[in-house]
Structures are given as structure tokens and as C-alpha cells.
Amino acid sequence: MNRKLLTLLCLTLFSMEIYSQTEPNYDENKVPALSLPDIFISQKGKLIQTKEDWEGIRRPEIFRLFESEVYGTIPKDFDEISFSLANETGNPYPELASLEEVNITVNRNGKTHAMRLNLFLPKSGKGPFPVILLINYLPKYKDGKLNEEGFWPVKELIERGFATASFHAETVAPDLTESYQKGIISTLYPEQIGKPDGLKAFGAWGWGAMRAMDYFEQHPQIDSKKSVLVGHSRTGKTALWTSANDPRWAITYANESGCGGAALSRRKYGETVEAINRRFPYWFADNFRKYNDHEEELPLDQHMLPGLIAPRAVYYSSAREDRWADPKGEYLGLSLGSRVYSEIYGKKAEFQTEFEQLTGPVHLESVGYHIREGKHDLIWEDWRIFLEFVKENL
Ligand code: GTR
């Protein structure tokens, strides 16, 4: 390569690097005027007003757009699944709950992957119990600890009559650019590698949640029809996409899921499509990178995601100081998306309050939201408010 060309290349790479490090926007005045794709106009221009047209035409279209342009495919097929119990970790709540450490083993085309699910079942009360699953993105806890109070408040959930389970996302697909394929992707679904809409880490974690549901469905002490899927931040995004793929979840809760989850991409407030794709190129489908700094070219936006879960219940929450996740964009995504609940399914799900005027949680029929003070985290306060919604909607 001649020197001139090399200098030009270096300059281009340098300016791309500078560009990618530009400060996030936190100024409402700099948020672009929103022009969002219409949830109720089909690709052929048909106005969608009935449940039949929604479920027969528009929902499948929107689902396919998210699958191909944002999250990638979650393959549903495998040859065999089996469950066995291990006994490796001490039960932190022996008085309150029994603990099942479940190895879920899945075979496909002669290859095997095993993941670990930890399930607590209440000792008091009569089952079958409703169940809450947390997709835990934190690495496996040291010293064999199973949970972290607040983040996964097992004791409080058990005391309220829930069975509750969790798995570490990394046991299905590592949360790292270099090794995310090392879980189920290279073992069970290698043909997905290299496809622009192939299985990536979010899809793999969602697949893990589906296998947990397979376990719940055959468990005599679990009422799998009363099931709640919970994720925080990156696994909040995952939970939403999982539930769009798998109708077995009665309630889906995404806490502070932000960009690529609850928040509208076109607002470009806080984390942007480009920022997330650069830092986490293995979370979303490769196709999603086409929209780096070109959000306006997306054939969808995140307000179309709740509609894929409807009429099953969906819940979002934000933290006031978590500007990176764009609380207002999360609220707008849900309030606009709730039109599927109200207009197609006839639920009382209209949001009446502007984001700036919110004074407390908004719990409607099958759709709910809260914002709390403080920083990006999943804490007991989030669970406590969310559980009120669960009580009303399960
Ligand atoms: C951030 C990322 C967010 C969010 C978060 C998390 O670094 O930019 O999209 O998912 O991680 O998972 O805690």
C-alpha cells in the first residue's frame, strides 16, 4: 500500500474512533423530532384494526423485522432435553424453601449442552406455585453463593408464595465478544454462525429461559401458566425478545433495559445503536449494525416490541439517574406500544400522563411502569413495586 493511501486510511480510522467516542446526548432539545413507523399500517399499506389482521398480518411482519434487523433468530428445534438434580450448594433458606439445582441437558445433531437452573420452592402453602424466573447476567457468584439480596430477593419472593428460579446467562452463552459462541451457539446451532440474522448472545440467553420453562411445565409443584420472566438491563432486553418468541410467559418484566430494549432508538438519547453495537457486537444480529448512526432507517422502533408480547402482561421500569438507558424513551416506547393492548385487545391500557408529570407507578390492565430515584440497578424497591403489578395481573 503506498504511503498516501496508508495515511488516508489511518486518518479515516482515527476520525471513526473519535466519532465513536462522541459524548452521549442528554439534552432533550437535541433529540430529533420523532417520526416513528406506524404499528398499525402493514407493509402493504393495510390499516390494521382487528385481532385477526393483527395476529395474521402485522404481528408476524413486525416479529420478522425484529428477528432479522435487531435481535437475530432463536432456533426452537433440538432432539432431546433431560433434567437431573445436582446437590452441590447449600440452601441459604432451608426453613423457607427447598432448593433444586437442575442440570438441563439438551442434545441436537449428536452434540450436547448442559445449563444449570437454580429453583427455590416454598415449603409452606400448597402448590402448584406461580413462578418467577430471573435471567441473571452477573457472573456466577463466588463461594457457590446462589443469589444476591435485592438483585434476586429469593426470601421475599418465597414469603409471598412464589417459586423462583434463576440461571446465569454465561452458562448458556458467555457475555464476551471473544467467547460468546462457546455455549450453545457453536455446540448446538453452528449453522447460525455468520448469518446476518443468526443467533447471537441475547437469543442464546432467551433460549436458556425457554429451557427453564420446559422444566417448569413438567414440574408438578409449579403453575407454569402463572409465570413471570424478569431481566435487568442487558437481560431486560433479552426478556422482551424471549417473550416475543415464547408465548408461555404470563408476565414479562424489563428493568432499565434501555437501548435495544425498552427505549426508542430514534431518540438517540444516552446509549445509541452505534454505541451499543460497538461495545457489544455479539449481543444483537449483525444486521443491527446497518443502523449505526442511521436509526431513522430502521423499519421499526422499540415501541413495536410490547405489541409482540400482547395480550400477555408487560412491565417496564426506569431509574431517574439512569440517563444512559433513557427513562423517557423507555416510557414512550411502552406508552405508544400499549396501543396494541388497548386498540386490538380492548384492555384498559391507555397511558394518560406525560413522562414529566409522572408522580407514581402507572399500573394499567396488563401494562405497567414505574420510575424510581437513583441509579442503574435492580433493587428491592423495583421488585416491591413490580410485585404489586404482578398481584393485579397474574
Ligand atoms: C451497559 C450497556 C447497556 C446495559 C448495561 C447492563 O454497559 O451499555 O446497554 O445493557 O450495560 O446490562 O448493565
Side-chain angles (χ1 to χ4, degrees):
M1 193 183 297
N2 73 35
R3 279 187 57 185
K4 251 192 181 165
L5 212 66
L6 193 68
T7 321
L8 193 69
L9 185 70
C10 288
L11 276 173
T12 319
L13 289 175
F14 180 68
S15 56
M16 273 169 66
E17 193 47 33
I18 300 258
Y19 180 78
S20 72
Q21 290 171 2
T22 45
E23 286 295 302
N25 175 43
Y26 291 131
D27 181 352
E28 274 304 324
N29 296 316
K30 293 196 183 133
V31 169
L34 281 184
S35 163
L36 296 172
D38 197 311
I39 301 179
F40 295 125
I41 308 274
S42 79
Q43 284 168 336
K44 286 193 176 150
K46 183 173 192 320
L47 177 63
I48 305 296
Q49 288 174 306
T50 64
K51 185 164 164 279
E52 288 61 43
D53 282 354
W54 170 257
E55 292 178 358
I57 301 173
R58 191 59 175 148
R59 187 193 181 279
E61 277 180 7
I62 295 176
F63 177 85
R64 180 59 199 143
L65 287 174
F66 273 108
E67 183 175 57
S68 113
E69 304 304 294
V70 182
Y71 299 108
T73 310
I74 305 184
K76 311 286 186 306
D77 72 296
F78 50 81
D79 299 326
E80 204 187 348
I81 185 165
S82 61
F83 310 109
S84 64
L85 294 183
N87 194 358
E88 288 171 5
T89 318
N91 180 349
Y93 311 105
E95 308 290 304
L96 287 176
S98 53
L99 166 65
E100 291 184 3
E101 295 167 73
V102 192
N103 289 325
I104 304 181
T105 307
V106 177
N107 299 320
R108 182 176 184 262
N109 294 341
K111 296 279 173 54
T112 301
H113 181 86
M115 63 179 277
R116 170 65 61 87
L117 178 76
N118 295 305
L119 165 69
F120 290 91
L121 290 152
K123 278 194 172 160
S124 73
K126 215 172 96 41
F129 301 100
V131 64
I132 299 181
L133 174 72
L134 170 72
I135 311 175
N136 194 343
Y137 73 84
L138 296 172
K140 279 197 267 174
Y141 298 113
K142 293 210 174 62
D143 313 321
K145 235 175 75 184
L146 290 181
N147 67 316
E148 201 114 275
E149 294 298 342
F151 198 74
W152 183 27
V154 171
K155 185 166 170 284
E156 287 75 6
L157 297 174
I158 291 289
E159 283 168 349
R160 284 163 180 75
F162 294 99
T164 184
S166 163
F167 70 92
H168 290 277
E170 66 179 13
T171 68
V172 185
D175 192 7
L176 289 169
T177 312
E178 330 60 272
S179 56
Y180 75 96
Q181 293 176 341
K182 287 208 171 129
I184 64 160
I185 300 178
S186 63
T187 312
L188 299 183
Y189 301 102
E191 70 281 3
Q192 293 288 328
I193 296 172
K195 286 189 185 172
D197 62 348
L199 174 65
K200 301 299 279 288
F202 282 168
W205 302 343
W207 180 96
M210 293 179 190
R211 303 297 71 84
M213 175 55 96
D214 295 342
Y215 184 68
F216 301 153
E217 281 192 322
Q218 54 80 60
H219 198 300
Q221 281 299 94
I222 287 186
D223 184 353
S224 64
K225 296 267 175 295
K226 294 191 174 165
S227 53
V228 181
L229 180 61
V230 180
H232 164 61
S233 203
R234 65 197 70 187
T235 61
K237 310 178 213 278
T238 309
L240 295 171
W241 180 233
T242 305
S243 200
N245 276 267
D246 183 353
R248 294 176 292 175
W249 300 97
I251 301 184
T252 308
Y253 173 26
N255 182 59
E256 298 158 25
S257 63
C259 179
L264 294 173
S265 300
R266 279 173 175 74
R267 276 174 49 81
K268 304 188 200 185
Y269 185 102
E271 187 169 35
T272 60
V273 170
E274 172 158 22
I276 204 165
N277 279 329
R278 276 186 188 276
R279 272 183 74 204
F280 306 104
Y282 58 99
W283 279 358
F284 297 91
D286 292 352
N287 274 339
F288 197 36
R289 293 181 209 158
K290 293 190 290 192
Y291 307 100
N292 287 356
D293 200 34
H294 289 288
E295 287 85 348
E296 65 291 343
E297 287 172 18
L298 275 162
L300 46 75
D301 211 317
Q302 298 305 117
H303 66 307
M304 292 155 113
L305 191 53
L308 297 183
I309 297 171
R312 291 168 293 124
V314 69
Y315 194 87
Y316 288 2
S317 53
S318 312
R320 192 78 62 186
E321 289 172 44
D322 184 21
R323 295 185 306 164
W324 183 240
D326 186 13
K328 181 170 178 176
E330 295 181 317
Y331 182 73
L332 283 174
L334 186 62
S335 48
L336 294 169
S338 74
R339 290 182 59 204
V340 177
Y341 288 81
S342 52
E343 292 175 36
I344 301 292
Y345 292 105
K347 302 206 176 222
K348 292 199 176 60
E350 287 104 353
F351 284 77
Q352 312 279 2
T353 315
E354 297 279 310
F355 176 74
E356 289 74 13
Q357 265 68 59
L358 285 174
T359 52
V362 186
H363 290 180
L364 306 169
E365 190 182 357
S366 303
V367 186
Y369 176 85
H370 76 252
I371 181 163
R372 62 161 171 80
E373 297 309 314
K375 295 194 186 351
H376 186 70
D377 200 354
L378 174 58
I379 60 174
W380 170 242
E381 188 181 347
D382 295 307
W383 282 99
R384 185 181 56 73
I385 307 172
F386 169 61
L387 288 175
E388 290 166 15
F389 176 83
V390 172
K391 221 174 167 184
E392 293 151 18
N393 284 277
L394 205 59

